[in-house]
Amino acid sequence: MIIDTLENASQYSLLNPLFEKAFDYLEDKNLDALEVGVTEIEEGLRMIVFDEMAKTKEESLSKFECHNQNIDIQICLKGIENIGWKSRQKCTKPIGEYNAEKDVLFYNDNPDMFFQLNENQFAIFYPNDVHAPMIGNGFIRKIVFKVKI
């Protein structure tokens, strides 16, 4: 997992060529005007814009998730977002089977930690990062880039 601010995003381009394309895509955009929903940017890279009410910790933990086929870049644009995290290797209570169509596996474990994203901060979640996002109060506007591995 990586946590940083958008102003430092260029430091992560060497980790994956699609990271650079994701952050470049936002450069000349009015982030407040992005349409809510899914945008296919190119093969292997899509953007999802959310503008919704934050969840309680319990609601979010019911979908404590990780992915096998995608890396998530989650960017908080407005509001304060708390996120639960735990290493997948330490998770022992899967809920059901991995859903390949939706690229998601849920766990019933408790996070090892919670952290906060403020406006214009992001977290990058790899397949080993089980995460429970959108915890907070009020509305949160965020972007999630799905980066195909």
Side-chain angles (χ1 to χ4, degrees):
M1 176 180 61
I2 296 168
I3 303 168
D4 208 335
T5 61
L6 283 177
E7 68 184 30
N8 296 327
S10 63
Q11 295 176 9
Y12 303 97
S13 345
L14 295 176
L15 297 177
N16 185 309
L18 293 176
F19 288 5
E20 181 177 25
K21 291 181 181 191
F23 290 122
D24 283 352
Y25 183 82
L26 299 179
E27 268 188 24
D28 298 326
K29 303 273 188 296
N30 176 350
L31 301 183
D32 293 330
L34 290 173
E35 293 283 327
V36 171
V38 180
T39 302
E40 296 292 331
I41 296 171
E42 67 174 66
E43 185 174 337
L45 181 62
R46 65 187 159 108
M47 177 181 74
I48 308 164
V49 178
F50 297 90
D51 192 4
E52 58 190 54
M53 193 68 159
K55 299 175 183 175
T56 66
K57 184 166 84 171
E58 293 74 23
E59 287 175 307
S60 185
L61 286 177
S62 72
K63 304 242 184 210
F64 197 33
E65 66 182 28
C66 61
H67 314 288
N68 288 351
Q69 300 171 30
N70 288 282
I71 298 167
D72 278 3
I73 302 173
Q74 298 195 13
I75 305 166
C76 181
L77 298 176
K78 296 284 182 201
I80 297 172
E81 179 181 15
N82 293 292
I83 299 174
W85 176 89
K86 186 171 191 164
S87 171
R88 189 175 191 171
Q89 288 84 354
K90 291 177 70 181
C91 289
T92 59
K93 303 174 190 169
I95 301 172
E97 299 292 322
Y98 169 72
N99 182 330
E101 184 180 321
K102 294 184 179 181
D103 184 34
V104 69
L105 175 61
F106 297 109
Y107 284 94
N108 193 26
D109 294 67
N110 289 316
D112 280 348
M113 66 178 272
F114 289 87
F115 64 92
Q116 180 175 294
L117 290 182
N118 297 304
E119 293 180 5
N120 297 316
Q121 290 183 317
F122 66 89
I124 300 175
F125 297 106
Y126 289 87
N128 290 329
D129 297 312
V130 182
H131 51 284
M134 292 294 291
I135 302 168
N137 297 306
F139 279 92
I140 296 175
R141 180 170 177 80
K142 73 181 290 183
I143 294 170
V144 176
F145 283 105
K146 293 289 188 178
V147 180
K148 187 85 166 158
I149 297 175

